[in-house]
Amino acid sequence: MATQAPTSRHTTGPRHARPSRLSALSGLSRRGRLPVPLHTIAVPVTLGILYGVWAPFIQRHGNPLNALQITLGVVSGLVLAILVFLLMRMPRTIQPELRATAFGVVAGVSVGFLHSLTYASVLRSSGIGLTVGGAAAIATFYFFHTREK
């Protein structure tokens, strides 16, 4: 037919286009995906920002914001974001009990620390941290066991 483009008889398979330079610069793999899933980055960053804003807000007690409180927010938000990122990248081959305990410890320590910024007693902050950590460990344990293959 006259409307079809001529084809070569010597092709052995489909032609592959060269990857663009833009995809190499943006960190995308050949298939157009990020090397790390998006939620593995978005969840820790969001939690770190929220935690980093919340900590100095509690610490100020109605007074003007100062540099020490800003430093507290940046450092505590960064530490929490790194810990959550490492927990989310933890291999699936680790026992669900150990993974759930790790999530519970991070949740309990972070909430206990935030409560200690209100000048509450150490026992009360520890009790709230243990309660939240235990609840988070139970919830993540349930989550990991129901999605186990």
Side-chain angles (χ1 to χ4, degrees):
M1 288 189 189
T3 58
Q4 290 183 345
T7 59
S8 173
R9 295 180 185 168
H10 302 290
T11 58
T12 58
R15 298 174 122 187
H16 297 289
R18 284 189 319 168
S20 70
R21 291 183 186 174
L22 183 61
S23 67
L25 294 176
S26 66
L28 297 175
S29 65
R30 283 192 164 177
R31 294 183 181 158
R33 292 188 223 157
L34 290 171
V36 176
L38 184 61
H39 71 276
T40 307
I41 297 171
V43 170
V45 168
T46 304
L47 287 176
I49 289 172
L50 290 174
Y51 196 84
V53 169
W54 195 2
F57 180 76
I58 291 173
Q59 180 66 31
R60 347 181 296 177
H61 299 289
N63 296 328
L65 192 64
N66 61 25
L68 189 61
Q69 293 163 348
I70 292 173
T71 305
L72 170 76
V74 169
V75 170
S76 61
L78 189 63
V79 167
L80 182 73
I82 290 170
L83 287 175
V84 171
F85 178 76
L86 291 176
L87 284 176
M88 291 185 76
R89 295 292 297 165
M90 191 181 289
R92 306 274 187 243
T93 57
I94 295 177
Q95 295 175 351
E97 296 85 6
L98 184 62
R99 290 178 66 203
T101 303
F103 273 97
V105 166
V106 169
V109 168
S110 61
V111 170
F113 174 70
L114 281 181
H115 191 69
S116 73
L117 293 177
T118 64
Y119 297 123
S121 71
V122 174
L123 290 175
R124 183 176 174 139
S125 298
S126 301
I128 289 177
L130 283 172
T131 304
V132 169
I138 290 170
T140 53
F141 179 74
Y142 175 77
F143 177 81
F144 294 143
H145 267 283
T146 56
R147 283 154 182 81
E148 205 174 60
K149 290 185 180 183

